[in-house]
Amino acid sequence: MVMQRVSLLTIGAFDLPKLRSFYKGIGWEETEFSSDNYAAFKTAGVILSIFPIEELAKDAGIEISHTADQFRGVSFAINVDSVEQVDSTIEDIRKVGGKILREPSDAFWGGRTAYFADPENNLWEVAWNPTAVFDERGAMVSF
């Protein structure tokens, strides 16, 4: 049986300093594990790491099959505590150069949502879900 746990998400970076600067610019705190060749950011639920894409592909035993401007088929989500935080978070992202893909809007499922892309087109949703439940660290445990 595979343990049902996601503990680390790694984004393969084409330009690690640029991505690192973006995530620091939105106010995310790096861990003590960060270095010139690796960045790791604390989040409520998992560690988000950024690693050179060539090294990530080599470690996984695969070849890179896309560029930074192509959709990778994955999105990440930042679930916020209030409906107003969707809008304010998108404004903070806009200020540091994030590409807003979908402006904040009410969702058919009763919440509020928006999308942005980081400098390498990794997609992020910012969402407020009225039924979301978070633990004491701020990690989502149910929705």
Side-chain angles (χ1 to χ4, degrees):
M1 181 163 172
V2 176
M3 188 174 289
Q4 194 168 332
R5 176 186 297 163
V6 177
S7 50
L8 177 73
L9 294 174
T10 301
I11 295 174
F14 288 91
D15 184 341
L16 189 135
K18 185 176 183 178
L19 272 189
R20 171 187 245 154
S21 178
F22 175 79
Y23 289 102
K24 287 173 75 172
I26 64 173
W28 285 14
E29 180 183 350
E30 285 188 271
T31 70
E32 61 278 6
F33 305 115
S34 292
S35 68
D36 290 342
N37 300 314
Y38 180 76
F41 294 88
K42 299 175 181 179
T43 73
V46 301
I47 300 292
L48 175 70
S49 70
I50 303 172
F51 193 53
I53 196 161
E54 299 86 8
E55 295 299 317
L56 182 60
K58 181 180 170 184
D59 194 43
I62 63 170
E63 292 189 24
I64 300 168
S65 62
H66 61 277
T67 62
D69 61 342
Q70 292 177 305
F71 177 53
R72 298 181 189 197
V74 174
S75 71
F76 306 102
I78 301 167
N79 284 79
V80 296
D81 295 325
S82 70
V83 68
E84 297 82 14
Q85 283 180 313
V86 173
D87 296 60
S88 64
T89 299
I90 288 298
E91 286 311 309
D92 290 342
I93 298 299
R94 194 185 316 274
K95 288 176 188 173
V96 298
K99 183 176 16 174
I100 308 307
L101 303 173
R102 177 179 168 185
E103 293 291 340
S105 60
D106 293 336
F108 72 90
W109 41 265
R112 188 158 178 85
T113 187
Y115 277 87
F116 72 91
D118 71 15
E120 293 192 359
N121 289 312
N122 295 295
L123 300 188
W124 287 86
E125 179 185 22
V126 178
W128 171 74
N129 185 329
T131 61
V133 178
F134 299 92
D135 69 13
E136 65 281 353
R137 296 175 306 138
M140 183 184 280
V141 294
S142 176
F143 64 92

